[in-house]
Amino acid sequence: MAIRLEMREQLKFLPDNELTVLAFTPEEFGKAKVDDHEVKVNGHMYDIARTVVKENHILVYAKQDEAEDNLLSFLDEIVKRSSHDKKPVPSQLLQWLTLIFISPEINFIQKEAIKINHASHYAALISYHVPVIETPPPQA
């Protein structure tokens, strides 16, 4: 997603001589169009800068998205290799992939709170509560 957003921003400022012009019939454009911002031609992804309709053709001014092509080919290679691999997944890797990580956004339920009082004028304005987290420490 970050690659797509970055490419769309760059497209706004590219001159026509740096864009590839792709000519489609309406049917071809419908088949090549991935979404409102991309087309796929001969296995390559292109980000659309703009489209122009001339008679019975659609001219697409676009730039090849090499970063996305590389990402898609990398993922495709991983899938191909994993489908040919007959070895079982190592148990350590399987355990690591199934770990549940604690998100910092989770609000822990406070079973008890410790109130800290300081003998200063400023501390009287604010009360502090330190939550007790009842989880075991991480193990090596």
Side-chain angles (χ1 to χ4, degrees):
M1 188 62 152
I3 293 170
R4 287 182 180 177
L5 292 174
E6 180 181 323
M7 192 57 130
R8 286 184 197 147
E9 276 301 312
Q10 290 176 358
L11 284 175
K12 294 178 184 177
F13 305 106
L14 286 179
D16 286 350
N17 62 350
E18 291 187 32
L19 297 172
T20 303
V21 181
L22 305 167
F24 296 104
T25 63
E27 295 83 25
E28 292 171 337
F29 182 67
K31 290 178 184 176
K33 189 175 175 182
V34 175
D35 59 28
D36 290 340
H37 305 285
E38 292 183 316
V39 291
K40 187 172 188 175
V41 179
N42 298 326
H44 297 288
M45 298 298 289
Y46 290 85
D47 288 316
I48 300 171
R50 68 181 174 282
T51 58
V52 177
V53 178
K54 285 191 176 182
E55 298 174 10
N56 60 347
H57 280 76
I58 299 172
L59 299 178
V60 177
Y61 290 83
K63 179 147 176 81
Q64 184 177 354
D65 192 346
E66 293 176 13
E68 188 169 358
D69 282 344
N70 291 339
L71 177 63
L72 291 175
S73 62
F74 174 70
L75 293 174
D76 188 43
E77 184 65 28
I78 289 174
V79 170
K80 283 181 186 175
R81 285 186 184 185
S82 67
S83 65
H84 296 304
D85 191 9
K86 302 298 181 208
K87 297 177 188 173
V89 177
S91 63
Q92 295 89 348
L93 178 61
L94 193 58
Q95 288 174 354
W96 185 80
L97 291 173
T98 57
L99 283 176
I100 298 174
F101 295 95
I102 299 174
S103 174
E105 291 108 14
I106 294 176
N107 294 326
F108 293 102
I109 298 172
Q110 295 181 2
K111 292 197 174 187
E112 59 183 272
I114 302 169
K115 188 172 183 178
I116 301 173
N117 290 321
H118 295 281
S120 71
H121 173 71
Y122 297 107
L125 301 175
I126 303 172
S127 66
Y128 295 93
H129 293 281
V130 178
V132 175
I133 300 172
E134 295 181 10
T135 59
Q139 297 179 1

